[in-house]
């Protein structure tokens, strides 16, 4: 049966999608058991076999490990998102394995590259099925996630997307998400700006060719009047015209915008900030989770992002994230973004639901899905992206929103 997304949770929700480091040359096969690859084998840390075989490898050889697939853009323009999702899942798997696994069984993780392309994402899904995937953490970006969701529905494969924020990503009963949906991001952004009296005149610059961007814009505009906000300019660009924002910025400036809302990705946002500075236009810039990653844009002057705010569920410097951040930086040489945290929480949610459901590795993917779906509505996790997180039957998370402000080149949780 088709699930209906509840917008009654809007007031309590805020962020989502699908944002850093070098790109690998191809798809990654990084099980939690593979000694010598990008994953530090947690079972080795726990003192596994002297010959270098980890607990997960031994469990896999006996047919006793759970296989979790991960799909995202590991190469290309959106690689910062996919790599973060891959790495966050790996760290969670390591920790869970070190603590005894899921009902005594280890976790194996394999990531496949889809370059944020729907067709390639379906190909990645089929590759993971051939590997023996039993549960999917993915996909990372919304368009690809919608394409793969049709496949997981047909196969009755359990799916939890860390960052696919389009409503359609979890329209099927086998699908859940960690992030918040696009409609909730737009509404919550307007509420945050209004409740904190940040501005009354707001301009919007958005990507009309993106379901993600346009969906957020639409609900922001709908909520704005209730928050005492006047949208004085709403200026679009497309994927084919995302290098020159002079017209959009001029219209926002001429309209007297005190704040510019940017429901877009960090690459375009970095260009907008540079061009706004060149025009000596300095409103408050306010974004959503797609802007997470802006501080890592190559050759970008991060001082231009000073004071920028965005709704995002994770800040690497927050007290409750320090352990994860330390592990992530040690393994991957960079600071984790929210997509890594979303994926980390996704794997922990799967593990908790698996314990409640009592699944075993010898069950096929369909049987596992049948057991996990009802279990997901029974669990509560305290994750990196929210404490006391629960899920409803529509696959939507229920947790408090968080906002950060860029200060001194770092995120400060507000």
């Amino acid at each position: 049966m088709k699930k209906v997304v509840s917008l009654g949770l809007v007031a309590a929700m805020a962020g989502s999608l699908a944002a850093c480091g070098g790109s690998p040359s191809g798809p990654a096969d990084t099980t939690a058991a593979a000694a010598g690859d990008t994953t530090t084998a947690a079972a080795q840390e726990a003192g596994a076999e002297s010959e270098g075989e980890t607990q997960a490898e031994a469990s896999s050889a006996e047919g006793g490990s759970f296989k979790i697939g991960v799909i995202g853009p590991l190469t290309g323009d959106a690689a910062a998102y996919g790599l973060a999702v891959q790495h966050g899942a790996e760290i969670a798997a390591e920790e869970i394995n070190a603590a005894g696994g899921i009902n005594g069984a280890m976790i194996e993780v394999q990531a496949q590259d889809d370059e944020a392309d729907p067709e390639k994402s379906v190909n990645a899904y089929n590759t993971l099925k051939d590997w023996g995937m039993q549960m999917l953490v993915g996909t990372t970006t919304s368009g690809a996630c919608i394409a793969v969701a049709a496949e997981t529905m047909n196969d009755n494969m359990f799916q939890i997307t860390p960052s696919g924020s389009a409503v359609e990503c979890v329209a099927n009963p086998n699908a859940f998400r960690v992030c918040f949906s696009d409609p909730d991001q737009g509404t919550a952004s307007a509420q945050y700006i209004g409740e904190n009296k940040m501005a009354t005149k707001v301009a919007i610059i958005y990507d009309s060719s993106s379901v993600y961007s346009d969906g957020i814009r639409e609900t922001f505009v709908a909520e704005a009047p209730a928050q005492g906000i006047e949208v004085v300019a709403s200026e679009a660009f497309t994927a084919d015209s995302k290098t020159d924002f002079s017209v959009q910025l001029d219209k926002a400036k001429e309209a007297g915008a005190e704040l510019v809302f940017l429901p877009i990705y960090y690459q375009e946002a970095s260009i907008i900030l540079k061009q706004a500075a060149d025009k000596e236009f300095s409103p408050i810039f306010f974004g959503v989770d797609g802007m997470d990653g802006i501080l890592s844009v190559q050759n970008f002057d991060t001082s231009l992002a000073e004071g920028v705010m965005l709704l995002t569920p994770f800040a690497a410097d927050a007290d409750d994230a320090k352990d994860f951040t330390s592990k992530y930086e040690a393994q991957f040489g960079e600071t984790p973004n929210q997509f890594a945290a979303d994926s980390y929480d996704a794997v922990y949610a799967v593990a908790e639901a698996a314990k409640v459901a009592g699944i075993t590795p010898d069950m096929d993917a369909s049987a596992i899905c049948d057991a996990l779906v009802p279990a997901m509505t029974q669990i509560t996790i305290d994750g990196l992206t929210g404490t006391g997180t629960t899920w409803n039957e529509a696959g939507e998370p229920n947790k408090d929103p968080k906002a950060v402000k860029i200060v001194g080149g770092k995120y400060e949780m507000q």
Side-chain angles (χ1 to χ4, degrees), residues 123-166:
N123 291 338
Y125 173 73
N126 288 327
T127 297
L128 289 169
K129 278 178 60 181
D130 291 341
W131 170 64
M133 173 177 60
Q134 295 164 296
M135 296 160 274
L136 174 63
V137 172
T139 66
T140 300
T141 55
S142 287
C145 189
I146 293 168
V148 169
E151 303 298 318
T152 64
M153 178 62 180
N154 289 336
D155 294 334
N156 198 36
M157 172 80 69
F158 179 83
Q159 178 177 4
I160 181 167
T161 173
S163 48
S165 57

Side-chain angles (χ1 to χ4, degrees), residues 146-330:
I146 293 168
V148 169
E151 303 298 318
T152 64
M153 178 62 180
N154 289 336
D155 294 334
N156 198 36
M157 172 80 69
F158 179 83
Q159 178 177 4
I160 181 167
T161 173
S163 48
S165 57
V167 171
E168 296 86 351
C169 289
V170 297
N172 300 323
N174 63 306
F176 293 77
R177 66 169 131 229
V178 174
C179 64
F180 293 127
S181 70
D182 293 342
D184 292 331
Q185 287 200 75
T187 302
S189 293
Q191 290 172 342
Y192 190 95
I193 293 167
E195 290 170 3
N196 288 280
K197 302 187 184 306
M198 296 176 63
T200 56
K201 293 186 176 182
V202 173
I204 304 171
I205 300 177
Y206 69 103
D207 182 353
S208 60
S209 64
S210 165
V211 173
Y212 167 73
S213 183
D214 194 37
I216 296 173
R217 177 203 62 83
E218 184 177 355
T219 53
F220 182 95
V221 170
E223 178 65 19
Q227 300 300 324
I229 296 171
E230 179 187 1
V231 177
V232 295
S234 184
E235 300 300 317
F237 65 92
T238 68
D240 297 326
S241 60
K242 58 179 182 180
T243 58
D244 185 355
F245 299 94
S246 297
V247 172
Q248 293 91 335
L249 287 167
D250 286 344
K251 289 187 177 180
K253 186 176 183 179
E254 292 167 3
E258 304 158 323
L259 181 149
V260 176
F261 180 51
L262 301 174
I264 58 177
Y265 297 130
Y266 64 92
Q267 298 96 331
E268 293 82 9
S270 68
I271 299 172
I272 288 173
L273 293 177
K274 172 63 169 63
Q275 293 178 357
D278 291 342
K279 293 176 177 293
E280 298 184 347
F281 180 39
S282 54
I284 299 169
F285 287 98
F286 192 102
V288 289
D289 64 351
M291 276 180 62
D292 192 3
I294 194 168
L295 296 178
S296 67
V297 175
Q298 190 173 9
N299 300 321
F300 175 64
D301 179 0
T302 57
S303 68
L304 297 175
E306 188 74 9
V308 168
M309 294 188 66
L310 58 149
L311 288 179
T312 179
F314 173 75
D317 295 326
D319 289 342
D320 60 356
K322 288 182 178 178
D323 183 57
F324 173 74
T325 298
S326 177
K327 291 178 182 179
Y328 196 99
E329 291 176 341

Side-chain angles (χ1 to χ4, degrees), residues 7 27 29 32 61 77 115 119 121 159 166 176 190 206 210 239 242-243 264 267 273 290 335 346 373 383 392-393 402:
L7 295 183
D29 180 352
D77 291 342
E115 299 178 47
E119 184 176 350
S121 200
Q159 178 177 4
F176 293 77
Y206 69 103
S210 165
K242 58 179 182 180
T243 58
I264 58 177
Q267 298 96 331
L273 293 177
T335 301
V373 167
N392 62 22
E393 291 182 356
K402 299 179 181 179

Side-chain angles (χ1 to χ4, degrees), residues 24-30 70 72 74-75 86 110-115 124 127:
S25 59
D29 180 352
T30 54
V70 174
L74 308 182
T75 59
Q86 174 192 344
Q110 183 182 128
Q112 288 290 326
D113 186 11
D114 68 2
E115 299 178 47
T127 297

